[in-house]
């Protein structure tokens, strides 16, 4: 039950070395800053934040892919250098983008014009001559096909329409009109739906030659577009790696500048403080020396006893119990002056789960699955599964269950030498001497579940007593429900019940009851005045509150003890599940033939049992840990150790 020993560091030096000192602390990964509170060591705005935002927006707008990279070769240091780089990249990218945009626009225009000129292939006159007539206005376009017939209604029309090509929807052609009536002619044709097309000035030849010229121009523009796109792609690829490294360095410098707020700067000097594990002190010291020889460090080891709750907590456990730290963090870390219950939780969790989920075959499968998931994923439950599977297999040997089959290993209730002693011990409870299956041994399982629960409750109370004595809370340690008085009452009741019902002894004599039961109840009732007397401090005493404490303690002892019956209940439910599987598979009869269907049914049944009951057992054991164990001695008010790091990961 170890909590890593911490040291308090005070770092000082000249202001020019501040960034280097901060970077060293971040690089170490073992330093947690102490906030300077309302004292502002730094008032200026972060000059790198705007540069980082500008470059990030530039990469996003230009759709340049970036990713986190090492930036050791990047020489830029000042915000101005980063701004200058941003302007160069933006200008070059804009130049290429504008070129590509213009090329696309010209290409679209040429293709549109070419498509229209193809409809005018019957026109042998050059466009230059056609549009340079002195007294005649010329209009090229298309007319809706259904309106062509309406042209005949104008018997004295002042224009001439010449069609060149017809489609299902339009008639493509040209009309001529004298200059003096051109506006009137245009009005008539507009009402008929004529859509005029203005041909570009560079088309001077006839339709056939203009079409060939347009094809040449389109080919040239497509070639130009291809080259521009290749140049843009090359530029993007080249810039992507460089820009990623620059953004990574810029983010590093920006975050490092933000850390300057953790320091106090005055008179050209800086100072900041923080916590670090004592075991990592040499590593941190070396990095700070590299940052600057004139950086001064003062290190003060912090003892666990009497330490402030502000000291952060880092748990220290071996490879077997370390995965169970997850459950401690779920409930809350211990304070620095407390103790780490991880080993106790690890052992009791594995023990109770193994009892509830005892099966050799299924335990091995769960353990192997945990090993596989540990290798393939970072799921914190995977290593816990490996350990739970081992305990399940061990208790499976006790129950004689291998994938629910109880004929491979002899169960404990069929081992005459052991079971005979159990029957003698519990002779007063009518235990069958020759049970045929685990259900006939249910009474023994439930009794041992209660005994296990009582032992765990007593251990939890002892932990609470030790914790309160260490914290110099003598009254709580001696007179509380979860103190010495409560432990005496609970132990007296347990030993009295066992002696009376199992061995036929007269345990509950008047002296036994008076000294070991009534007297501790009185002490619990008078906890407030007795605490005030021992600790020499004023404590409020309320008769109603004292009575409620005694009543609540009695109810809690009873309910917590009975909660452990669920351990035995899950043993029986596991056996019941496997009995159902064997019935469905047709293996309840030992003489029944084994078929492919039997094997498939048995495999599916075992998988379902492992999934459903394994999950339920895990949840129930965690509930017992949190509500029946932790509630008696653990508060979980500690602050986790969170060393500072500079994350240069680009979103």
């Amino acid at each position: 039950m170890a909590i890593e020993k911490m040291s308090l560091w005070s770092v000082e030096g000249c202001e020019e070395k501040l960034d280097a000192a901060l970077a060293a602390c971040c690089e170490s990964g073992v330093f947690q800053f102490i906030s300077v509170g309302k004292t502002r060591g730094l008032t200026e705005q972060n000059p790198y934040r705007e540069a980082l935002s500008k470059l990030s927006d530039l990469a996003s707008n230009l759709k340049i892919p970036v990713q986190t990279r090492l930036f050791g070769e990047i020489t830029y240091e000042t915000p101005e250098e980063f701004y200058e780089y941003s302007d160069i990249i933006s200008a070059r990218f804009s130049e290429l983008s504008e070129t590509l945009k213009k090329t696309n626009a010209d290409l679209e225009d040429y293709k549109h014009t070419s498509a229209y000129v193809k409809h005018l292939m019957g026109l042998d006159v050059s466009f230059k001559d056609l549009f340079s007539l002195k007294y005649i206005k010329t209009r090229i376009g298309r007319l809706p096909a259904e309106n062509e017939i309406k042209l005949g209604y104008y018997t004295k029309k002042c224009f001439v329409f010449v069609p060149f090509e017809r489609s299902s929807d339009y008639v493509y052609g040209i009309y001529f009109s004298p200059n003096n009536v051109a506006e009137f002619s245009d009005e008539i044709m507009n009402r008929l739906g004529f859509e005029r097309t203005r041909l570009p000035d560079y088309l001077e030849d006839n339709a056939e030659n203009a079409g060939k010229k347009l094809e040449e121009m389109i080919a040239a523009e497509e070639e130009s577009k291809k080259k521009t796109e290749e140049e843009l792609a090359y530029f993007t690829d080249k810039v992507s790696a460089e820009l990623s490294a620059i953004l990574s360095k810029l983010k590093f410098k920006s975050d490092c500048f933000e850390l300057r707020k953790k320091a106090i700067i005055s008179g050209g000097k800086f100072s900041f403080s923080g916590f670090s594990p004592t075991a990592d002190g040499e590593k941190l010291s070396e990095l700070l020396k590299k940052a600057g020889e004139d950086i001064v460090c003062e290190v003060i080891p912090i003892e666990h006893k009497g330490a402030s709750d502000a000291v952060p907590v880092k748990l220290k456990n071996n490879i077997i119990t370390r995965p169970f730290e997850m459950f401690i963090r779920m409930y809350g870390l211990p304070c620095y002056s407390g103790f780490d219950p991880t080993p106790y939780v690890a052992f009791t969790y594995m023990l109770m789960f193994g009892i509830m989920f005892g099966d050799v075959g299924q335990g091995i499968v769960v353990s192997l699955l945990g090993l596989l998931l540990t290798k393939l994923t970072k799921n914190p439950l995977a290593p816990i599964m490996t350990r739970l599977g081992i305990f399940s297999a061990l208790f499976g040997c006790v129950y004689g269950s291998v994938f629910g089959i109880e004929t491979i290993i002899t169960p404990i209730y069929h081992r005459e030498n052991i079971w005979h002693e159990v029957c003698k011990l519990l002779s007063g409870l009518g235990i069958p001497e020759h049970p045929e299956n685990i259900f006939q041994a249910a009474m023994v399982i439930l009794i041992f579940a209660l005994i296990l629960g009582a032992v765990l409750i007593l251990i939890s109370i002892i932990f609470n007593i030790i914790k309160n004595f260490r914290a110099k809370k003598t009254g709580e340690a001696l007179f509380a429900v979860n103190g010495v008085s409560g432990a005496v009452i609970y132990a007296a009741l347990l030993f009295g019940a066992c002696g009376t019902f199992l061995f036929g002894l007269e345990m509950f004599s008047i002296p036994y009851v008076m000294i070991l039961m009534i007297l501790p109840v009185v002490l619990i009732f008078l906890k407030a005045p007795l605490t005030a007397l021992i600790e020499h401090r004023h404590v409020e005493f309320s008769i109603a509150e004292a009575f409620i404490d005694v009543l609540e303690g009695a109810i809690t002892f009873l309910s917590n003890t009975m909660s452990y019956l669920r351990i035995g209940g899950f043993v029986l439910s596991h056996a019941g599940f496997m009995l159902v599987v064997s019935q469905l598979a047709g293996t309840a009869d030992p003489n029944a033939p084994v078929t492919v269907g039997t094997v498939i049914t048995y495999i599916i049944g075992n998988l379902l049992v492992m999934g459903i009951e394994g999950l339920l057992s895990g949840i129930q054991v965690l509930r017992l840990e949190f509500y029946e164990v932790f509630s008696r001695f653990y508060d979980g008010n500690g602050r986790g150790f969170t060393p500072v790091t500079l994350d240069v990961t680009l979103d």
Side-chain angles (χ1 to χ4, degrees):
M1 301 181 184
I3 295 176
E4 189 86 32
K5 191 173 182 180
M6 290 286 168
S7 295
L8 177 62
W9 286 65
S10 178
V11 183
E12 298 180 356
C14 59
E15 186 177 353
E16 291 77 11
K17 297 292 184 180
L18 175 57
D19 288 339
L22 293 173
C25 292
C26 296
E27 184 182 348
S28 71
V30 295
F31 189 85
Q32 177 177 326
F33 284 97
I34 295 177
S35 175
V36 296
K38 294 182 178 180
T39 302
R40 304 299 293 179
L42 186 71
T43 57
E44 61 179 308
Q45 293 294 323
N46 186 342
Y48 298 99
R49 185 184 300 166
E50 186 177 350
L52 176 62
S53 176
K54 182 177 180 180
L55 263 180
S56 298
D57 291 342
L58 176 64
S60 176
N61 294 335
L62 303 183
K63 297 181 180 179
I64 298 178
V66 293
Q67 56 184 341
T68 304
R69 288 181 178 270
L70 298 176
F71 49 83
E73 297 181 357
I74 303 301
T75 59
Y76 300 147
E77 295 293 338
T78 65
E80 291 73 22
E81 290 176 319
F82 289 108
Y83 283 129
E84 183 179 353
Y85 173 81
S86 174
D87 292 339
I88 294 173
I89 295 299
S90 180
R92 179 57 179 156
F93 197 92
S94 297
E95 179 185 350
L96 291 173
S97 298
E98 287 298 323
T99 301
L100 183 61
K101 181 179 179 181
K102 183 179 183 306
T103 301
N104 284 328
D106 291 343
L107 186 59
E108 184 179 356
D109 180 64
Y110 294 158
K111 288 182 177 180
H112 176 75
T113 304
S114 176
Y116 201 89
V117 168
K118 289 179 180 179
H119 297 296
L120 305 176
M121 285 302 176
L123 184 64
D124 295 331
V125 182
S126 69
F127 291 115
K128 181 179 180 181
D129 294 339
L130 194 63
F131 290 105
S132 61
L133 295 175
K134 186 175 182 180
Y135 301 104
I136 301 294
K137 293 293 185 182
T138 306
R139 305 285 189 261
I140 293 178
R142 63 181 184 179
L143 183 71
E146 67 270 14
N147 291 340
E148 183 182 13
I149 193 174
K150 297 179 181 179
L151 292 173
Y153 300 157
Y154 297 92
T155 56
K156 295 182 179 180
K157 56 182 179 292
C158 51
F159 59 87
V160 177
F161 179 76
V162 180
F164 292 100
E165 184 180 339
R166 288 181 174 84
S167 66
S168 58
D169 297 320
Y170 292 97
V171 177
Y172 296 86
I174 184 172
Y175 73 87
F176 303 93
S177 176
N179 288 343
N180 58 340
V181 292
E183 292 185 5
F184 180 70
S185 300
D186 291 341
E187 180 67 20
I188 293 174
M189 293 301 287
N190 286 339
R191 290 184 180 183
L192 292 174
F194 184 80
E195 298 177 11
R196 183 181 176 184
T197 299
R198 298 181 184 275
L199 297 179
D201 295 337
Y202 55 76
L203 294 181
E204 298 180 348
D205 212 334
N206 59 29
E208 183 177 356
N209 293 332
K212 293 178 180 179
K213 181 178 180 180
L214 284 169
E215 289 178 0
E216 294 174 357
M217 295 173 69
I218 290 172
E221 286 298 320
E222 287 181 340
E223 181 66 23
S224 176
K225 176 184 177 182
K226 181 180 178 182
K227 289 182 179 180
T228 305
E229 288 177 339
E230 289 176 351
E231 188 176 355
L232 186 59
Y234 174 78
F235 175 75
T236 301
D237 291 340
K238 180 182 177 181
V239 168
S240 178
E242 185 181 38
L243 184 58
S244 295
I246 289 176
L247 279 171
S248 296
K249 181 170 185 177
L250 192 53
K251 188 172 189 303
F252 176 84
K253 294 187 73 67
S254 177
D255 290 349
C256 194
F257 191 90
E258 288 295 328
L259 287 177
R260 291 167 65 94
K261 297 178 181 179
K262 300 288 186 179
I264 297 175
I265 305 173
S266 178
K269 299 286 185 179
F270 77 85
S271 67
F272 60 82
S273 302
F275 296 102
S276 177
T278 303
D280 297 317
E282 185 176 349
K283 174 184 177 182
L284 180 58
S285 179
E286 288 295 326
L287 289 171
L288 286 171
K289 284 182 180 178
K290 290 181 181 179
E293 292 292 337
D294 57 340
I295 296 178
V296 180
C297 302
E298 182 182 358
V299 185
I300 304 174
I302 304 174
E303 297 298 329
H304 289 289
K305 187 176 181 180
S308 168
D309 290 342
V311 181
V313 174
K314 182 181 180 182
L315 303 181
K316 182 181 180 181
N317 290 286
N318 57 44
I319 191 172
I320 297 175
T321 60
R322 191 176 302 129
F324 292 89
E325 291 179 359
M326 181 184 72
F327 296 145
I328 305 301
R329 292 189 176 90
M330 287 171 61
Y331 194 90
L333 289 170
C335 58
Y336 184 75
S337 59
F339 68 97
D340 177 18
T342 302
Y344 178 61
V345 170
F347 176 74
T348 55
Y349 196 99
M350 291 186 290
L351 177 66
M352 289 189 285
F353 186 92
I355 295 173
M356 296 165 69
F357 193 71
D359 188 287
V360 177
Q362 294 177 2
I364 292 174
V365 171
V366 170
S367 189
L368 292 175
L369 180 61
L371 282 174
L372 180 63
L373 292 176
T374 301
K375 295 290 185 182
L376 299 179
T377 69
K378 295 183 179 180
N379 192 319
L381 286 175
I384 293 177
M385 290 173 60
T386 304
R387 292 150 179 77
L388 296 181
I390 294 173
F391 269 69
S392 298
L394 292 175
F395 280 95
C397 296
V398 176
Y399 306 143
S401 177
V402 183
F403 292 114
I405 302 172
E406 299 182 356
T407 57
I408 299 176
I409 301 175
T410 303
I412 190 171
Y413 51 83
H414 285 169
R415 298 172 187 174
E416 296 294 337
N417 56 337
I418 299 177
W419 194 253
H420 180 68
E421 296 298 325
V422 174
C423 290
K424 285 174 58 178
L425 181 64
L426 304 178
S427 58
L429 299 177
I431 304 301
E433 295 185 2
H434 304 285
E436 296 181 1
N437 53 53
I438 196 171
F439 298 106
Q440 294 183 4
M443 180 62 73
V444 176
I445 293 173
L446 294 176
I447 289 174
F448 276 102
L450 287 176
I451 292 174
L452 174 62
V455 171
L456 294 180
I457 288 174
L458 279 173
I459 293 174
S460 300
I461 295 175
I462 292 172
F463 283 157
N464 188 62
I465 294 171
I466 295 172
K467 182 191 76 171
N468 284 320
F469 272 128
R470 290 178 61 181
K472 297 182 179 180
K473 297 179 180 179
T474 309
E476 285 290 327
L478 293 175
F479 310 122
V481 172
N482 291 314
V484 173
S485 299
V488 170
I489 297 173
Y490 190 66
L493 284 170
L494 290 177
F495 285 112
C498 291
T500 300
F501 295 109
L502 299 182
F503 303 104
L505 302 176
E506 292 293 336
M507 297 293 295
F508 293 104
S509 61
I510 293 178
Y512 186 92
V513 173
M514 292 293 295
I515 297 173
L516 298 180
M517 299 176 68
I518 295 179
L519 178 58
V521 169
V522 173
L523 293 177
I524 293 174
F525 185 81
L526 299 175
K527 184 185 76 170
L530 291 174
T531 299
L533 181 64
I534 292 176
E535 298 181 1
H536 304 290
R537 62 185 179 88
H538 176 70
V539 179
E540 294 290 338
F541 176 64
S542 168
I543 295 178
E545 185 177 341
F547 177 77
I548 291 173
D549 285 343
V550 173
L551 181 61
E552 183 183 11
I555 295 173
T556 302
F557 275 132
L558 178 61
S559 62
N560 288 171
T561 305
M562 299 305 292
S563 288
Y564 285 92
L565 284 173
R566 71 186 69 224
I567 296 177
F570 268 83
V571 175
L572 299 176
S573 69
H574 183 80
F577 272 125
M578 295 314 303
L579 179 61
V580 172
V581 172
S582 63
Q583 291 285 351
L584 293 174
T587 58
D589 183 3
N591 298 320
V594 178
T595 64
V596 175
T598 300
V599 175
I600 293 175
T601 303
Y602 221 79
I603 292 174
I604 295 175
N606 271 272
L607 291 175
L608 288 174
V609 170
M610 283 190 288
I612 297 173
E613 193 176 355
L615 178 63
L616 293 177
S617 297
I619 293 173
Q620 290 302 322
V621 175
L622 189 61
R623 183 208 173 279
L624 288 172
E625 293 283 359
F626 283 176
Y627 290 96
E628 272 64 53
V629 176
F630 276 16
S631 62
R632 295 193 173 277
F633 71 92
Y634 192 67
D635 48 29
N637 294 325
R639 298 169 57 236
F641 175 65
T642 53
V644 64
T645 57
L646 291 184
D647 182 14
V648 297
T649 302
L650 300 178
D651 298 331

